[in-house]
Amino acid sequence: MPVKKEPAEMSAFERRRLENIATNQALLTDISATAKKVIPKKPAPAAASKRKPRAEAVKKEPARPTRMSSRLAGVGADDTTLKRKMEVEAEFQASKAQSKKMRINGDLNLGDVVVDGKKYGSSMDGLKDIFRGAEPGLRTFSEDDIKETTDAGLRELRLRMSSLKLYEHWAPNDIKITPQRVYALGFHPTEDKPIVFAGDKEGAMGVFDGSQTTPEVDDDDEVPDIPDPVISAFKTHTRTITSFVFSYTDANAVYSSSYDSSIRKMDLEKGVSTQIFAPKDADVDMPISTLDVAASEPNILYFATLDGSVGRYDIRAPDSEEIWTLSEQKIGGFALHPLQPHLLATASLDRTLKIWDLRKITGKGDLRHPALLGEHSSRLSVSHASWSAGGQIATSSYDDTIKIYNFAEAGKWSPGQDIDEAVLEPAHIVRHNNQTGRWVTILKPQWQQRPRDGIEKFAIGNMNRFVDLFASDGSQLAQLGGDGITAVPAVAHYHPTMDWVAGGNGSGKLCLWS
């Protein structure tokens, strides 16, 4: 007669895994309940346009060499800025040459892809600042600047923006939102409370509920036992997560893009992550650097790639993919005009900002592309182009500038119309240290999408361990900091409507101001 075995005692690891699954599911349920309160904005009427035929397959260019000597490149021995830029490009090329990781295909039950917060590393903590011009803690905008402001309206705005306070319940070093360096941030559009999504360089996604508070402690406790903040982490991609986009019609839908060549949709209510887009050929490597969607076309996804292409994909039609080669070099950032989504701005390693018109697409096969309306060149590469609802474009560049272009009349442009050279000149140029090097994520301006006060403003990381806020005329509004910030909050993001600002750093830590 077989001996009846007693059930084995549950291991500590298994118990911890089940606790994490329960915690993550509870957080997703809470976020989903909050999301249901968000009333979708009625999309602006889209301009009538004919359906475009699917583009022919884009031929892959031969891989470029991963390294080149400064002498062959014509770089002087004392030109440190260009040398640093070459190092960053060499790192990028080397990462492309590595063995390609398989994308995560199919649906993911987020309860089964938990990343244990206790295992997060912190190897970036304590690194010395080796970047040119960085002076940790040194303010370039202070209370004296506010006091000396003579314009009453600007002074009031500066006082209000500078009054934002760093989240007080946990120090930034205690809010470990991702295991590795933060590459992308996004605020859920709910106005009930700040909910921050973060993506890191290894494809992990973290979610933090900014309404959490530390529990009350007994005054008799000499060393109170304060638990860690609740953070949900999920392994949804296999490579760097580059963007988050929140649906204008479904408050439970969160889209993410990645260097693993895929776009995924997370359903907060169901707790499922679904692959929405990936190249049909599994051997095709198409790292996606940016993702965007227009309110008037909520089912059309636009994305840029590290190979210099921009794509358009209708999630309702699996065969709707169109890819246009718009640059011979990396497109690091792009944006659609929020009110004129047929206008597209790209920022590239080729040192240009370019404006394209999707209403006029010409050519066949590999030569098919939107009409180029105009371009503006910078001395060094342009990292990102961000378009405000007011028609301004803010770019960041390795020439240590933020440039603000005024295209307020863009709604009057006819299809394919060339932009006057005078209009293509920056309306404002702000000096700003953008020398991130290889350990800090590239600094990119991000506009507040629908500001309640009607004032267009954007956030960008500061190498001295702050986040800078600027208005559309280049006026600095605030420099956000606080105690306990030990690294550059390089990835800065504004909530779409509320005066909430987040910053993520190279150690996966989060700063939150409100």
Side-chain angles (χ1 to χ4, degrees), residues 275-504:
Q275 181 173 284
I276 296 298
F277 169 81
K280 291 184 178 179
D281 186 346
D283 292 330
V284 171
D285 191 22
M286 192 172 65
I288 299 174
S289 59
T290 325
L291 177 67
D292 203 358
V293 64
S296 59
E297 299 176 319
N299 294 306
I300 311 295
L301 303 178
Y302 292 85
F303 55 90
T305 77
L306 297 186
D307 294 324
S309 299
V310 167
R312 176 169 62 186
Y313 181 71
D314 188 333
I315 61 177
R316 299 164 299 185
D319 295 326
S320 63
E321 171 192 332
E322 281 195 272
I323 304 290
W324 310 299
T325 300
L326 303 184
S327 173
E328 294 182 355
Q329 299 188 52
K330 166 187 173 182
I331 294 178
F334 87 110
L336 299 170
H337 191 306
L339 302 182
Q340 312 291 334
H342 54 271
L343 296 176
L344 175 76
T346 59
S348 175
L349 196 63
D350 67 8
R351 303 186 286 187
T352 64
L353 163 71
K354 294 179 180 177
I355 311 297
W356 308 85
D357 193 337
L358 301 175
R359 295 173 298 180
K360 186 176 181 180
I361 298 179
T362 59
K364 295 182 179 180
D366 293 349
L367 300 180
R368 184 174 169 79
H369 63 83
L372 177 60
L373 305 185
E375 65 180 88
H376 182 266
S377 298
S378 293
R379 187 172 62 86
L380 293 174
S381 67
V382 185
S383 303
H384 188 55
S386 183
W387 214 323
S388 75
Q392 296 85 17
I393 291 180
T395 65
S396 54
S397 172
Y398 268 87
D399 64 7
D400 284 341
T401 65
I402 297 171
K403 300 181 182 71
I404 303 173
Y405 303 79
N406 186 6
F407 299 124
E409 300 297 314
K412 300 178 181 179
W413 296 344
S414 58
Q417 172 188 335
D418 290 338
I419 304 175
D420 187 270
E421 289 188 5
V423 178
L424 282 167
E425 289 297 317
H428 309 282
I429 299 178
V430 179
R431 299 298 304 174
H432 195 266
N433 179 12
N434 297 326
Q435 302 303 313
T436 53
R438 62 186 304 179
W439 301 113
V440 175
T441 305
I442 294 172
L443 306 183
K444 297 181 178 183
Q446 298 287 349
W447 292 94
Q448 188 175 31
Q449 296 174 348
R450 301 180 298 278
R452 277 186 164 186
D453 57 10
I455 300 174
E456 307 292 346
K457 44 192 176 294
F458 64 86
I460 186 171
N462 181 299
M463 289 299 293
N464 291 356
R465 299 180 182 173
F466 300 101
V467 167
D468 291 329
L469 305 184
F470 289 94
S472 59
D473 64 356
S475 301
Q476 183 151 8
L477 303 180
Q479 193 162 79
L480 304 179
D483 295 336
I485 300 177
T486 60
V488 179
V491 184
H493 215 82
Y494 234 122
H495 185 274
T497 56
M498 306 294 287
D499 287 335
W500 299 335
V501 178

